[in-house]
Amino acid sequence: MRFPASRPRTSSIYRPSTPQSPSPPLPGRLKPAPFQYPANTRRTLPDLDDDELDDIAAVLRALARGSYPRLSAVPLALNAYNCDRSGDGSGSDGRGDGPWAYFHPVTVVAPEDRAAAARPEIELDGVVGEDLGRAWVRVRGSGGYAGEEEGEPGMVDIARYRFMCFIHKHRIDRRTTCQKGVHTISIWDREWDELTWHDTYHVNRETRRREIRRFWERANAPGLIEKQGLTREQFMGRIRYRTVYHICEHIEDTIRDAVPPRHTLWAVMSAALFHMNHARDPQVSIVPDQLELFGGQARALLPRLFAHLLLLCLDCRPWWGRARREAFVARFRVLDRLRWMRVRAREHFELRGLGGRGGGGKRSISGSDGSNSGGTDDGGNEDMESRGWIYGILKI
């Protein structure tokens, strides 16, 4: 089975021109897709191209403003949450190096009252396809998942991806709002070999359930179905429909108004982050029906994503000077009305050692071997404690 390669790279006009001699890659170790990485390092810090940086920046801007992000950029930003998480305090056990989740580009689900045209195409990244060919070490009954850094040398061939995630966009006609998009998410869990579909919106839910069933009945997904040794009938029998979410309805009862359907994108992103933060929990598919999850305000959800992505972007541009970094960070100044984001994002910056109270010590933004991966100008190789200026720029 052949899997498509990652999307073509675009060169960065900000990269240093000094040529670097290539180093042989470390064998046997997968790194989160769909990114490329500097050679000869175990750190999962991606070499972001300009398009990837722009997509992540689009999501950061939306998080800082409480606005709707560019939909096509959301899967890439969530995939980036897999990167460089060791020791970031994420996860129920405080570690950030657990199993990964892969996010496919957003799919548009055909409305029930329309004849479906072409079959939906589910194409997995080549790295994900390779990982699906590796043995999955069960979380349950095995004393917990052991990542490559924790396991024995012979364990480098174990799988890293536990979840395959597919964000769906449905059309909804609701007279009380002009917004027509509702978002749901399907998550294939290799721990149980089941796919759970999560729908957090209460209006027309049964219609969307029929639509998503038709979607998966027709989807061309050899990497997800046949590669797992399943027939289509077996796969359809392993779909679980989780619709016991009532918080949106309670919000409408409280505010006496409709919740815009597209706000479900925050709920979908939060459900995905909940899975990633608790990837060592066998029962993680039981996502809480809570306000903090529907809106993503919980400390471990959108605030952690914001802090992680911002530091990841800065780490991936070690040659930027101070002025360039400040200009980049200034694009994501958190609005005053998003007090929960300001307070909780700062907590994560401090947890990562970004100056302030309770910092976690110095952490270089250079490679794991101590050398700067891309050169620097104007003091580009700064440590985490020296980044306290970020608080002032973000006004948090």
Side-chain angles (χ1 to χ4, degrees):
M1 179 62 62
R2 296 182 61 188
F3 294 87
S6 302
R7 65 179 179 178
R9 302 278 291 175
T10 58
S11 61
S12 172
I13 62 175
Y14 302 110
R15 296 183 186 279
S17 59
T18 304
Q20 301 179 34
S21 57
S23 301
L26 293 171
R29 294 185 180 274
L30 293 180
K31 293 185 178 181
F35 309 103
Q36 295 188 25
Y37 297 84
N40 201 29
T41 177
R42 294 184 177 182
R43 186 177 177 188
T44 57
L45 178 64
D47 183 17
L48 297 177
D49 64 30
D50 288 345
D51 290 340
E52 291 166 339
L53 186 67
D54 182 66
D55 281 346
I56 294 176
V59 174
L60 282 169
R61 279 195 302 271
L63 291 173
R65 299 173 183 176
S67 59
Y68 190 69
R70 182 195 307 163
L71 188 58
S72 61
V74 170
L76 186 82
L78 291 172
N79 279 320
Y81 190 65
N82 292 309
C83 300
D84 208 34
R85 290 179 63 204
S86 181
D88 70 351
S90 62
S92 57
D93 54 4
R95 296 146 59 194
D97 53 355
W100 301 335
Y102 173 71
F103 292 86
H104 185 273
V106 175
T107 61
V108 178
V109 179
E112 184 183 37
D113 58 357
R114 295 185 186 177
R119 296 176 63 186
E121 294 289 335
I122 302 297
E123 297 184 7
L124 302 179
D125 186 273
V127 169
V128 179
E130 180 182 349
D131 190 75
L132 288 174
R134 298 186 174 195
W136 173 252
V137 178
R138 301 288 181 185
V139 173
R140 63 188 190 277
S142 63
Y145 173 91
E148 290 181 1
E149 301 298 331
E150 306 168 83
E152 298 297 327
M155 294 293 286
V156 295
D157 288 332
I158 66 172
R160 296 304 309 266
Y161 279 100
R162 175 178 173 180
F163 308 112
M164 306 289 123
C165 305
F166 307 88
I167 297 175
H168 312 288
K169 184 176 182 178
H170 306 252
R171 180 178 176 83
I172 184 173
D173 288 312
R174 194 175 184 193
R175 295 180 181 178
T176 53
T177 177
C178 62
Q179 296 180 5
K180 304 301 181 183
V182 173
H183 304 90
T184 65
I185 187 169
S186 297
I187 301 178
W188 175 263
D189 187 352
R190 296 174 72 183
E191 180 71 16
W192 302 97
D193 290 329
E194 291 181 349
L195 184 140
T196 303
W197 175 68
H198 301 264
D199 184 1
T200 61
Y201 204 66
H202 59 294
V203 179
N204 294 351
R205 185 173 277 160
E206 285 302 317
T207 299
R208 288 191 297 279
R209 175 170 174 158
R210 292 190 294 268
E211 290 173 351
I212 205 66
R213 181 169 182 83
R214 183 174 71 165
F215 175 91
W216 285 115
E217 283 176 342
R218 302 182 66 255
N220 181 28
L224 181 66
I225 300 177
E226 286 84 350
K227 195 174 182 68
Q228 307 302 310
L230 301 173
T231 66
R232 181 72 58 163
E233 182 179 3
Q234 290 172 330
F235 176 79
M236 296 303 298
R238 297 190 180 191
I239 298 180
R240 304 292 177 259
Y241 302 91
R242 184 162 178 80
T243 59
V244 289
Y245 298 102
H246 307 290
I247 194 65
C248 182
E249 189 173 5
H250 296 333
I251 294 172
E252 293 191 344
D253 291 342
T254 301
I255 65 176
R256 277 75 168 174
D257 199 358
V259 172
R262 72 178 187 179
H263 280 25
T264 51
L265 182 58
W266 300 125
V268 161
M269 293 174 67
S270 297
L273 292 168
F274 181 85
H275 277 72
M276 300 171 80
N277 290 338
H278 299 84
R280 292 185 177 88
D281 181 357
Q283 305 295 339
V284 67
S285 63
I286 305 176
V287 179
D289 181 28
Q290 297 176 353
L291 175 63
E292 291 79 4
L293 192 136
F294 182 80
Q297 301 102 319
R299 179 177 178 271
L301 299 177
L302 297 182
R304 175 180 286 164
L305 178 67
F306 178 82
H308 179 82
L309 293 180
L310 182 56
L311 292 181
L312 189 73
C313 289
L314 292 176
D315 283 359
C316 290
R317 292 294 188 269
W319 56 87
W320 279 358
R322 174 68 172 268
R324 182 65 194 276
R325 289 178 185 152
E326 290 185 356
F328 180 78
V329 172
R331 299 162 60 189
F332 317 120
R333 185 169 294 136
V334 182
L335 297 183
D336 291 342
R337 62 182 175 85
L338 301 179
R339 185 178 181 277
W340 56 271
M341 175 63 80
R342 298 168 65 195
V343 171
R344 293 165 187 169
R346 175 164 184 134
E347 291 175 356
H348 284 291
F349 285 131
E350 291 177 351
L351 182 64
R352 294 288 294 270
L354 189 65
R357 61 184 188 279
K362 295 186 178 181
R363 175 172 177 261
S364 173
I365 66 172
S366 59
S368 60
D369 59 355
S371 62
N372 195 326
S373 60
T376 181
D377 61 46
D378 190 23
N381 189 18
E382 64 182 357
D383 58 54
M384 295 293 283
E385 286 189 348
S386 67
R387 289 187 181 175
W389 55 265
I390 288 181
Y391 297 132
I393 298 293
L394 294 178
K395 295 189 181 300
I396 59 173

